[in-house]
Amino acid sequence: MTQRRVVVTGIGVLTPIGNNVNEFWQAMMEGKSGAGPITKFDTTDFTTKFGCEIKNYDPSNYIDKKSIRRMDPYTQYALITSIMAVEDSAMNLEEVDKERIGVVFGSGIGGMDTFEKQHREFIEGGAKRISPFFVPMMISDIAAGQISIHYGFKGPNYATTSACATSTNAIADAFFLVQRGSADAIVCGGSEAAITPMSIGGFNAARALSTWNDRPLEASRPFDKDRNGFVMGEGSGTIILEEYEHAKKRGAKIYAEIIGAGLTGDAFHLTAPAPEGEGAYRSMRDAVRDGGISIEEIDYINAHGTSTELNDINETKAIKKLFGKHAYKLSVSSIKSMTGHLLGAAGAVEAVATVLALKNGIIPPTINLDEPDPECDLDYTPKKPKERNIKYALSNTFGFGGHNSTILLKKYEE
């Protein structure tokens, strides 16, 4: 079976550093941090009191008030960025075959805000206080369902959930579906709204979050020797993946091409990565193999780069194991230094950053990298963006449970 070319024809983001693609890109070019004190709840009893929240958020610009009340914030974010991406794609919804357009959209946690609020209702008022919308608002597949319903897209429709690898898994699945001919286009990505008391408290209990409450802007510092945990973010990213001839026929603008994906499991530990980044190494290796190129052709890696002790060292080791001497010729960066860690949405937002890096020929920076960990000795694009002609780029995401996902993107050429 001939494999079809798959291209990116639409993008949309809602992030702590920008509420649309242009704001997001500009903020990255300026090296802005999205961190600040948490405003969503009282943090008096919490070890960590800051995060990367979305600012100036108004869902009514995209969604009617009745629907807003019946959607968890994670679903609102997902639908909003999907509306952005579909509009950006300039797809004529009156002419496309909606049975050939699908939605693969994930969330690592789903409707945590809804779960916590409904549980409080139950504790305070008993079972009769539980909303009939509780379950359909909470479940992690409902964002994919809502996007499908909103547009009438009747192709493959489901969610992925693999912790922080969630939305890269969604993009990989969408790539495979379009490549093999199961759909002409897929709306894919991920969303997360986990800045809630239980989420912050749970990650604090696991000692995963930074506790730099006195300097939140500097707290997310991937690959830096003083890093002490990740900074929780929230938001969503959507990408439209489309079969090349389908896109070309309708005169679509094309941002980039996706040519490979690698998905692996550590089979090692609930939260810690496999020693020496073994699973991450195989994920990147498989993506490059899938794309049919050599490792020397890779110019840029958008790193998972969480600002946690184990991840940053192990990801660096994985890169050096796969690329050898070429590892020191690569540009690497982690935009989590600016956005914080968006958990299940991280991969999609970072894929959008990678697409824009390819298109614009500019590597986004890793801010707050003052003194690299001695074991992190690659070019992480510290402090400022860097111009570079990028032909091929990898985007990595790795999650609790040992989930590893890598996609391989190519600069678009007809």
Side-chain angles (χ1 to χ4, degrees), residues 86 89-98 101 150-151 153:
V86 172
S89 75
M91 197 178 291
N92 188 325
L93 298 176
E94 300 301 317
E95 294 182 358
V96 294
D97 182 355
K98 292 184 179 180
I101 301 177
H150 183 83
Y151 285 109
F153 292 154

Side-chain angles (χ1 to χ4, degrees), residues 13 15 24 106-108 163-168 171 189-192 233-237 302-304 306 335-336 339-354 395-398:
V13 294
T15 79
F24 171 62
S107 181
C164 306
T166 290
S167 50
T168 304
I171 295 167
S191 178
E192 209 78 88
E234 62 174 355
S236 179
N302 187 296
H304 188 49
T306 56
I335 71 164
K336 288 184 181 71
T339 65
H341 191 349
L342 275 64
L343 306 182
V349 169
E350 289 160 18
V352 170
T354 307
S395 184
N396 286 335
T397 49
F398 316 127

Side-chain angles (χ1 to χ4, degrees), residues 4 6 65 75 138 253 324 331:
R4 310 191 311 168
V6 182
K65 290 182 179 179
T75 303
M138 176 197 70
K253 70 174 178 296
S331 290

Side-chain angles (χ1 to χ4, degrees), residues 106-326:
S107 181
I109 294 178
M112 193 67 158
D113 182 68
T114 296
F115 188 92
E116 292 184 33
K117 287 178 178 176
Q118 287 296 304
H119 186 254
R120 283 197 296 273
E121 290 289 334
F122 169 67
I123 294 298
E124 293 170 5
K128 291 182 180 180
R129 290 274 293 274
I130 298 171
S131 168
F133 293 100
F134 167 48
V135 172
M137 285 175 67
M138 176 197 70
I139 51 181
S140 58
D141 71 299
I142 209 67
Q146 289 280 20
I147 296 162
S148 170
I149 291 165
H150 183 83
Y151 285 109
F153 292 154
K154 297 183 177 180
N157 177 246
Y158 60 94
T160 54
T161 297
S162 46
C164 306
T166 290
S167 50
T168 304
N169 274 150
I171 295 167
D173 279 14
F175 165 61
F176 296 144
L177 287 165
V178 175
Q179 187 183 55
R180 76 185 298 276
S182 296
D184 293 328
I186 300 280
V187 180
C188 60
S191 178
E192 209 78 88
I195 300 181
T196 69
M198 288 298 292
S199 291
I200 296 296
F203 281 108
N204 267 158
R207 297 183 180 179
L209 295 180
S210 172
T211 55
W212 282 21
N213 294 312
D214 58 335
R215 39 184 170 160
L217 294 174
E218 303 168 25
S220 186
R221 42 197 316 108
F223 309 107
D224 190 87
K225 72 176 184 64
D226 292 329
R227 67 193 184 281
N228 78 330
F230 75 85
V231 177
M232 181 79 82
E234 62 174 355
S236 179
T238 300
I239 288 180
I240 309 296
L241 292 188
E242 191 169 351
E243 192 271 323
Y244 172 66
E245 294 298 339
H246 187 272
K248 192 175 178 183
K249 185 177 180 180
R250 67 178 186 84
K253 70 174 178 296
I254 296 174
Y255 284 97
E257 186 169 359
I258 179 169
I259 64 170
L263 310 173
T264 67
D266 283 351
F268 173 69
H269 190 271
L270 284 177
T271 57
E276 307 297 307
E278 186 271 339
Y281 157 77
R282 288 185 290 108
S283 178
M284 290 186 288
R285 180 200 66 190
D286 291 356
V288 174
R289 284 180 178 175
D290 190 40
I293 66 170
S294 70
I295 57 171
E296 289 80 16
E297 293 179 90
I298 303 293
D299 300 301
Y300 171 51
I301 297 176
N302 187 296
H304 188 49
T306 56
S307 187
T308 56
E309 181 180 355
L310 290 177
N311 174 83
D312 293 0
I313 290 173
N314 280 282
E315 187 171 11
T316 297
K317 288 180 177 179
I319 292 168
K320 291 196 285 190
K321 180 179 179 182
L322 178 61
F323 289 94
K325 292 180 180 179
H326 186 65

